[in-house]
Amino acid sequence: MTQSLTIPRPDDWHLHLRDGAMLQAVLPETARDFGRAIIMPNLVPPVVTGADAAAYRDRIMAALPEGMTFDPLMTLYLTEATDPADVRAAAESGLVKALKLYPAGATTNSASGVRDFDKVRPVLEIMAEIGLPLCVHGEVTDSDIDIFDREAVFIDRVLDPIRRATPGLRVVMEHITTSNGVDYVKANDRDLGATITTHHLIINRNHILVGGIKPHYYCLPVAKREEHRLALRAAATSGDARFFLGTDSAPHLDHLKEHACGCAGCFTATNTMPLLAHVFEEDGALDKLEGFASRNGPAFYGLPVNAETLTLVKSDTATAFPAKIDTPDGPVTVFDPGYPVHWSVQ
Ligand code: OTD
Ligand code: ZN
Ligand code: ZN
């Protein structure tokens, strides 16, 4: 029996495309299924000015294979030196769709992140004025905070104070991993949304650690207890428009993940839509996938829903996803949910 589901072409509201050869290798994996993506600015050096974002956008478009369509939605990396006038100009030209806040040291390539939030207040005020969203990596980085508590502590110590001090600031809590994140979004009606990744709907911390360490399941924020995964599943499949897809697909070469000090990041661009169809069907919520992947994100960003469609089909045989994609510098492992998935993109 074949079952199928057609939805408006989805978007990815949090994506790492990298640069150079890696960009070339991973871009088709996203552009095949997704119409647009919010492009993370954590290159080395980071994308900090409107000019940087324009140049990066050009490199992305130059890497797009002939015949594919894709619209990269650019972001700027907020630093303590960000110029409010540059932010305003980059947003008003339509080039930049959000700013990205990394607490310094929170994840891969986040050393230029913010330490003193008072220094970025003028930028946040401009953003509130023009309605430019702030995408937040919501983890404190204090060494005395347990890595599994970093998100919950961030909400209390950093996020809530920033939002109270900057009325009207629109915030996306990115890649939420806890019930605390879900609850905070639900308790705040205005100007707040959250992205949820594919992998955090599938793995909990046991998957990383039990039976041997699995470097390809290691990402930041690190996957939490099962009760948190279930809270994310409930939020994603609820139909609540404040929750939408941001894969956080973050490619690293295998030899840098399978390493004594392995890089953080799961690469899910290749199989995200079939995996989500599996997850939503398992929770009896296939009808909610369209909102999560195709409608809620554009609504938050004030953009139209894509006019094209994507069709997912379920067949009796399990889908054979590629285990890895190749780059000139070595392979990148595709996220493996650890169980057979029968959905594929038509
Ligand atoms: N998390 N890896 C990366 C970024 C994210 O926090 C994130 O957005 C990366 O490699 O850029 C990761 O585990
Ligand atoms: Zn992040
Ligand atoms: Zn990310």
Side-chain angles (χ1 to χ4, degrees):
M1 187 200 68
T2 303
Q3 193 185 341
S4 83
L5 176 71
T6 297
I7 61 175
R9 194 170 185 217
D11 303 301
D12 184 349
W13 300 94
H14 180 133
L15 176 67
H16 297 269
L17 284 178
R18 316 301 193 200
D19 218 339
M22 183 66 95
L23 166 64
Q24 198 86 41
V26 299
L27 177 59
E29 301 301 298
T30 287
R32 196 174 293 133
D33 294 348
F34 295 90
R36 299 166 289 199
I38 285 276
I39 308 301
M40 287 297 123
N42 64 331
L43 306 181
V44 188
V47 177
V48 290
T49 64
D52 294 340
Y56 186 29
R57 188 177 200 284
D58 288 346
R59 297 198 296 281
I60 295 169
M61 294 315 285
L64 190 66
E66 199 61 42
M68 280 189 161
T69 56
F70 179 67
D71 186 10
L73 308 176
M74 307 310 291
T75 64
L76 301 182
Y77 190 124
L78 177 61
T79 75
E80 293 178 5
T82 296
D83 173 9
D86 183 56
V87 169
R88 183 192 282 276
E92 287 179 350
S93 75
L95 171 70
V96 160
K97 295 291 190 267
L99 255 64
K100 174 74 196 213
L101 170 67
Y102 290 101
T107 186
T108 310
N109 304 336
S110 60
S112 327
V114 175
R115 283 167 217 279
D116 177 357
F117 285 88
D118 285 336
K119 297 221 170 96
V120 298
R121 185 144 306 287
V123 178
L124 299 182
E125 274 158 17
I126 295 268
M127 293 173 69
E129 182 196 322
I130 64 178
L132 186 70
L134 181 69
C135 294
V136 177
H137 180 106
E139 290 191 290
V140 293
T141 53
D142 316 47
S143 59
D144 60 326
I145 305 293
D146 190 278
I147 192 168
F148 292 98
D149 297 334
R150 286 175 161 200
E151 182 170 297
V153 173
F154 182 89
I155 293 169
D156 294 341
R157 287 197 194 164
V158 183
L159 182 60
D160 200 58
I162 289 179
R163 293 187 62 249
R164 284 176 196 283
T166 324
L169 180 66
R170 311 195 66 234
V171 171
V172 181
M173 289 177 72
E174 299 199 277
H175 48 50
I176 55 170
T177 57
T178 60
S179 60
N180 311 71
V182 170
D183 292 345
Y184 186 74
V185 172
K186 285 195 190 158
N188 289 272
D189 240 6
R190 293 167 57 85
D191 302 324
L192 186 62
T195 58
I196 302 179
T197 75
T198 311
H199 50 284
H200 288 115
L201 294 172
I202 294 175
I203 59 165
N204 64 33
R205 64 194 200 178
N206 275 22
H207 294 91
I208 310 171
L209 296 170
V210 173
I213 191 159
K214 314 294 188 316
H216 296 290
Y217 287 160
Y218 173 61
C219 67
L220 291 171
V222 70
K224 309 295 192 298
R225 287 177 180 277
E226 177 65 358
E227 69 196 59
H228 293 294
R229 186 185 73 93
L230 295 176
L232 301 174
R233 292 271 288 231
T237 59
S238 67
D240 185 327
R242 291 171 292 191
F243 299 100
F244 43 94
L245 173 62
T247 66
D248 200 7
S249 182
H252 289 278
L253 297 171
D254 279 356
H255 73 271
L256 298 175
K257 286 196 67 73
E258 299 164 5
H259 191 275
C261 182
C263 294
C266 296
F267 180 66
T268 54
T270 304
N271 54 0
T272 273
M273 291 311 300
L275 264 45
L276 288 176
H278 178 100
V279 162
F280 277 65
E281 183 185 39
E282 201 168 64
D283 287 5
L286 256 188
D287 60 324
K288 301 295 196 310
L289 180 57
E290 168 168 342
F292 182 71
S294 308
R295 294 191 181 276
N296 302 347
F300 185 90
Y301 278 88
L303 294 170
V305 172
N306 291 318
E308 308 82 24
T309 59
L310 180 96
T311 297
L312 290 148
V313 292
K314 185 183 180 188
S315 71
D316 292 335
T317 44
T319 309
F321 300 113
K324 296 172 190 293
I325 63 155
D326 288 321
T327 85
D329 303 314
V332 172
T333 290
V334 174
F335 178 80
D336 175 2
Y339 47 69
V341 167
H342 291 252
W343 288 91
S344 58
V345 173
Q346 196 171 52

